Amino acid sequence: DTAVSQTPKYLVTQMGNDKSIKCEQNLGHDTMYWYKQDSKKFLKIMFSYNNKELIINETVPNRFSPKSPDKAHLNLHINSLELGDSAVYFCASSQDGSRLAKNIQYFGAGTRLSVL
Amino acid sequence: SQQGEEDPQALSIQEGENATMNCSYKTSINNLQWYRQNSGRGLVHLILIRSNEREKHSGRLRVTLDTSKKSSSLLITASRAADTASYFCATQAGGTSYGKLTFGQGTILTVHP
Protein backbone atom coordinates (compact mmCIF):
# COMPACT_ATOMS: atom_id res chain seq x y z
CA ASP A 1 0.00 0.00 0.00
CA THR A 2 1.26 3.45 -0.91
CA ALA A 3 1.85 5.51 2.24
CA VAL A 4 1.27 8.96 0.73
CA SER A 5 -0.66 8.99 -2.51
CA GLN A 6 -1.55 11.97 -4.62
CA THR A 7 -3.65 12.26 -7.73
CA PRO A 8 -3.38 12.97 -10.53
CA LYS A 9 0.24 12.22 -11.41
CA TYR A 10 0.13 14.51 -14.43
CA LEU A 11 -2.09 17.51 -15.02
CA VAL A 12 -2.05 19.50 -18.24
CA THR A 13 -4.40 22.45 -18.44
CA GLN A 14 -4.95 25.85 -19.99
CA MET A 15 -4.23 29.19 -18.37
CA GLY A 16 -7.19 30.51 -16.42
CA ASN A 17 -8.60 27.10 -15.51
CA ASP A 18 -9.24 25.86 -11.97
CA LYS A 19 -7.80 22.51 -10.90
CA SER A 20 -7.44 20.37 -7.78
CA ILE A 21 -4.82 17.91 -6.60
CA LYS A 22 -5.74 15.34 -3.96
CA CYS A 23 -3.54 13.77 -1.31
CA GLU A 24 -4.15 10.97 1.13
CA GLN A 25 -1.89 9.33 3.71
CA ASN A 26 -2.49 6.01 5.43
CA LEU A 27 0.32 6.37 7.97
CA GLY A 28 -1.87 7.74 10.74
CA HIS A 29 0.17 10.96 10.76
CA ASP A 30 -1.09 14.20 12.28
CA THR A 31 0.60 16.65 9.92
CA MET A 32 0.44 17.09 6.15
CA TYR A 33 2.21 19.44 3.76
CA TRP A 34 2.17 20.80 0.24
CA TYR A 35 5.44 21.65 -1.48
CA LYS A 36 6.21 23.16 -4.88
CA GLN A 37 9.33 22.01 -6.75
CA ASP A 38 10.39 24.27 -9.58
CA SER A 39 12.33 23.45 -12.72
CA LYS A 40 15.63 23.93 -10.85
CA LYS A 41 14.48 21.33 -8.29
CA PHE A 42 14.16 23.93 -5.55
CA LEU A 43 11.59 22.59 -3.07
CA LYS A 44 9.57 25.19 -1.21
CA ILE A 45 6.90 24.61 1.39
CA MET A 46 3.49 26.11 0.68
CA PHE A 47 1.15 24.94 3.42
CA SER A 48 0.96 22.62 6.39
CA TYR A 49 -1.99 21.28 8.34
CA ASN A 50 -1.89 19.62 11.74
CA ASN A 51 -5.06 17.72 12.64
CA LYS A 52 -7.04 19.71 10.07
CA GLU A 53 -5.71 23.04 11.37
CA LEU A 54 -3.60 25.29 9.15
CA ILE A 55 -0.22 25.82 10.84
CA ILE A 56 2.08 26.94 8.03
CA ASN A 57 0.99 29.31 5.29
CA GLU A 58 3.95 30.61 3.33
CA THR A 59 3.76 33.52 0.93
CA VAL A 60 1.56 31.83 -1.64
CA PRO A 61 -0.94 33.60 -3.94
CA ASN A 62 -4.47 33.30 -2.60
CA ARG A 63 -5.38 31.49 -5.82
CA PHE A 64 -4.02 28.46 -3.95
CA SER A 65 -6.37 27.11 -1.32
CA PRO A 66 -5.65 24.00 0.73
CA LYS A 67 -8.46 21.99 2.28
CA SER A 68 -8.19 19.27 4.87
CA PRO A 69 -11.47 17.38 5.38
CA ASP A 70 -9.78 15.07 7.89
CA LYS A 71 -6.23 14.49 9.07
CA ALA A 72 -5.62 11.81 6.43
CA HIS A 73 -6.43 14.09 3.50
CA LEU A 74 -5.05 17.39 2.28
CA ASN A 75 -6.21 18.70 -1.08
CA LEU A 76 -4.91 21.66 -3.03
CA HIS A 77 -7.20 23.75 -5.19
CA ILE A 78 -5.75 26.26 -7.62
CA ASN A 79 -7.87 28.96 -9.23
CA SER A 80 -7.11 30.91 -12.40
CA LEU A 81 -3.99 28.94 -13.28
CA GLU A 82 -1.01 30.89 -14.60
CA LEU A 83 2.02 29.82 -16.65
CA GLY A 84 4.23 30.28 -13.58
CA ASP A 85 2.25 27.67 -11.68
CA SER A 86 3.83 24.96 -13.83
CA ALA A 87 5.87 22.82 -11.46
CA VAL A 88 5.81 19.54 -9.59
CA TYR A 89 3.66 19.64 -6.47
CA PHE A 90 4.45 17.24 -3.64
CA CYS A 91 2.31 16.23 -0.74
CA ALA A 92 4.02 14.98 2.41
CA SER A 93 3.10 13.89 5.90
CA SER A 94 4.82 13.54 9.25
CA GLN A 95 3.85 11.95 12.52
CA ASP A 96 4.16 15.14 14.50
CA GLY A 97 4.89 18.47 12.90
CA SER A 98 5.43 20.25 16.18
CA ARG A 99 8.64 22.19 16.50
CA LEU A 100 9.77 19.97 19.37
CA ALA A 101 9.60 16.74 17.40
CA LYS A 102 11.91 15.17 14.86
CA ASN A 103 9.93 16.11 11.81
CA ILE A 104 10.69 13.25 9.41
CA GLN A 105 8.50 13.63 6.36
CA TYR A 106 7.11 11.06 3.93
CA PHE A 107 6.48 12.25 0.40
CA GLY A 108 4.05 11.35 -2.33
CA ALA A 109 5.27 10.74 -5.88
CA GLY A 110 4.34 14.24 -7.03
CA THR A 111 1.90 15.84 -9.46
CA ARG A 112 3.48 17.40 -12.54
CA LEU A 113 1.36 20.41 -13.45
CA SER A 114 1.80 21.96 -16.88
CA VAL A 115 -0.08 25.15 -17.64
CA LEU A 116 -0.29 25.96 -21.35
CA SER B 1 15.12 33.03 1.99
CA GLN B 2 16.59 29.67 1.17
CA GLN B 3 18.11 28.03 4.21
CA GLY B 4 20.34 25.35 2.71
CA GLU B 5 23.00 25.69 0.08
CA GLU B 6 24.42 22.50 -1.32
CA ASP B 7 27.76 21.85 -2.87
CA PRO B 8 28.52 20.58 -5.42
CA GLN B 9 25.44 21.07 -7.56
CA ALA B 10 26.37 17.97 -9.55
CA LEU B 11 28.75 15.09 -8.89
CA SER B 12 29.73 12.32 -11.28
CA ILE B 13 31.69 9.29 -10.05
CA GLN B 14 32.43 5.67 -10.87
CA GLU B 15 30.81 2.77 -9.06
CA GLY B 16 32.79 1.85 -5.96
CA GLU B 17 34.02 5.38 -5.30
CA ASN B 18 32.89 7.49 -2.38
CA ALA B 19 30.62 10.50 -2.85
CA THR B 20 30.67 13.52 -0.55
CA MET B 21 28.04 16.24 -0.59
CA ASN B 22 28.03 19.35 1.55
CA CYS B 23 25.28 21.54 2.92
CA SER B 24 25.46 24.93 4.59
CA TYR B 25 22.68 26.71 6.41
CA LYS B 26 22.11 30.09 7.99
CA THR B 27 20.08 29.93 11.22
CA SER B 28 20.01 27.81 14.35
CA ILE B 29 18.55 24.36 13.90
CA ASN B 30 16.85 21.61 15.86
CA ASN B 31 18.05 18.95 13.43
CA LEU B 32 19.31 18.45 9.90
CA GLN B 33 18.07 15.74 7.57
CA TRP B 34 19.12 14.28 4.25
CA TYR B 35 16.66 13.09 1.63
CA ARG B 36 17.09 11.30 -1.70
CA GLN B 37 14.97 11.91 -4.79
CA ASN B 38 15.10 9.50 -7.68
CA SER B 39 14.12 10.91 -11.07
CA GLY B 40 10.38 11.48 -11.29
CA ARG B 41 9.74 10.36 -7.73
CA GLY B 42 9.11 11.86 -4.31
CA LEU B 43 11.74 12.47 -1.66
CA VAL B 44 12.76 9.67 0.66
CA HIS B 45 14.21 10.31 4.11
CA LEU B 46 17.73 8.93 4.58
CA ILE B 47 19.09 10.10 7.90
CA LEU B 48 18.56 12.71 10.63
CA ILE B 49 21.20 14.28 12.83
CA ARG B 50 20.31 16.38 15.86
CA SER B 51 21.96 19.68 16.62
CA ASN B 52 23.81 18.17 19.59
CA GLU B 53 25.26 15.32 17.52
CA ARG B 54 28.44 15.51 15.45
CA GLU B 55 28.32 12.32 13.42
CA LYS B 56 25.77 9.67 12.48
CA HIS B 57 26.02 6.47 10.48
CA SER B 58 23.44 4.42 8.63
CA GLY B 59 24.68 1.59 6.44
CA ARG B 60 26.88 3.16 3.75
CA LEU B 61 25.87 6.67 4.80
CA ARG B 62 27.85 8.90 7.13
CA VAL B 63 26.62 12.34 8.08
CA THR B 64 28.58 14.97 9.96
CA LEU B 65 27.31 18.20 11.46
CA ASP B 66 29.34 21.23 12.48
CA THR B 67 27.00 23.72 14.11
CA SER B 68 29.81 26.26 14.62
CA LYS B 69 30.28 26.40 10.85
CA LYS B 70 26.59 25.76 10.14
CA SER B 71 27.47 22.97 7.76
CA SER B 72 26.88 19.27 7.21
CA SER B 73 28.25 16.65 4.90
CA LEU B 74 26.83 13.40 3.57
CA LEU B 75 29.28 10.67 2.61
CA ILE B 76 28.12 7.67 0.60
CA THR B 77 30.76 4.96 0.63
CA ALA B 78 31.29 2.31 -2.06
CA SER B 79 28.72 3.92 -4.33
CA ARG B 80 26.47 1.90 -6.62
CA ALA B 81 24.68 2.81 -9.84
CA ALA B 82 21.42 2.64 -7.84
CA ASP B 83 22.65 5.59 -5.74
CA THR B 84 22.16 7.84 -8.77
CA ALA B 85 19.67 10.45 -7.57
CA SER B 86 19.37 13.99 -6.24
CA TYR B 87 20.27 14.46 -2.60
CA PHE B 88 18.78 17.24 -0.49
CA CYS B 89 19.60 18.51 2.94
CA ALA B 90 16.76 19.92 5.00
CA THR B 91 16.94 21.86 8.24
CA GLN B 92 14.34 21.93 10.96
CA ALA B 93 14.72 25.26 12.69
CA GLY B 94 14.72 25.77 16.40
CA GLY B 95 12.62 28.53 17.86
CA THR B 96 9.10 29.26 16.77
CA SER B 97 8.89 27.48 13.40
CA TYR B 98 6.25 24.81 13.58
CA GLY B 99 8.56 21.97 12.67
CA LYS B 100 9.02 23.43 9.21
CA LEU B 101 11.69 21.87 7.02
CA THR B 102 13.68 24.12 4.72
CA PHE B 103 15.36 22.33 1.83
CA GLY B 104 18.57 23.06 -0.03
CA GLN B 105 18.74 23.01 -3.81
CA GLY B 106 20.19 19.55 -3.93
CA THR B 107 23.17 17.74 -5.37
CA ILE B 108 22.65 15.61 -8.46
CA LEU B 109 24.74 12.46 -8.05
CA THR B 110 25.47 10.25 -11.05
CA VAL B 111 27.20 6.93 -10.42
CA HIS B 112 28.54 5.27 -13.57
CA PRO B 113 28.63 1.45 -13.67
Side-chain angles (χ1 to χ4, degrees):
Chain A
D1 279 345
T2 305
V4 181
S5 59
Q6 51 183 110
T7 54
K9 190 168 173 63
Y10 299 96
L11 189 51
V12 181
T13 188
Q14 299 288 331
M15 250 179 17
N17 284 350
D18 303 338
K19 290 292 177 187
S20 292
I21 307 172
K22 295 186 175 182
C23 180
E24 175 181 5
Q25 54 95 0
N26 63 6
L27 297 167
H29 287 170
D30 286 340
T31 311
M32 295 184 73
Y33 311 82
W34 277 110
Y35 288 88
K36 179 180 180 181
Q37 187 174 46
D38 63 22
S39 57
K40 295 183 180 178
K41 293 210 163 188
F42 178 47
L43 196 69
K44 184 169 170 52
I45 189 164
M46 301 172 69
F47 302 103
S48 177
Y49 272 73
N50 185 66
N51 273 323
K52 301 195 295 175
E53 180 188 348
L54 181 66
I55 56 171
I56 295 174
N57 185 353
E58 294 292 288
T59 308
V60 175
N62 58 16
R63 298 181 296 103
F64 289 79
S65 54
K67 281 196 171 51
S68 181
D70 55 61
K71 75 173 193 177
H73 295 84
L74 180 61
N75 303 324
L76 183 65
H77 188 77
I78 315 170
N79 288 329
S80 303
L81 278 155
E82 300 178 357
L83 293 176
D85 298 333
S86 294
V88 182
Y89 292 83
F90 286 98
C91 177
S93 72
S94 65
Q95 186 169 20
D96 180 358
S98 82
R99 60 188 170 90
L100 299 178
K102 293 185 299 182
N103 190 11
I104 294 173
Q105 298 186 10
Y106 296 77
F107 284 76
T111 295
R112 183 172 294 275
L113 172 64
S114 299
V115 183
L116 307 177
Chain B
S1 63
Q2 184 180 343
Q3 171 77 311
E5 300 275 343
E6 297 193 51
D7 168 53
Q9 288 190 321
L11 181 59
S12 182
I13 60 173
Q14 294 295 128
E15 216 167 23
E17 294 179 342
N18 294 343
T20 300
M21 290 159 265
N22 302 297
C23 169
S24 61
Y25 57 92
K26 294 175 184 168
T27 60
S28 67
I29 62 170
N30 175 295
N31 64 70
L32 184 144
Q33 303 176 37
W34 286 89
Y35 287 78
R36 184 187 74 224
Q37 183 180 29
N38 289 88
S39 181
R41 308 293 292 272
L43 280 73
V44 174
H45 179 263
L46 294 176
I47 195 166
L48 177 151
I49 187 165
R50 298 183 204 223
S51 59
N52 62 354
E53 296 176 313
R54 291 297 164 255
E55 190 170 310
K56 201 100 175 264
H57 295 256
S58 176
R60 293 184 296 112
L61 305 180
R62 174 178 164 248
V63 169
T64 62
L65 178 65
D66 186 337
T67 51
S68 66
K69 294 181 180 177
K70 292 187 168 59
S71 67
S72 172
S73 67
L74 171 68
L75 169 67
I76 304 174
T77 59
S79 64
R80 305 166 182 167
D83 295 328
T84 294
S86 294
Y87 292 82
F88 294 86
C89 68
T91 52
Q92 180 176 346
T96 58
S97 296
Y98 202 101
K100 185 175 87 169
L101 290 186
T102 303
F103 286 83
Q105 284 189 293
T107 293
I108 301 171
L109 173 66
T110 304
V111 182
H112 300 282

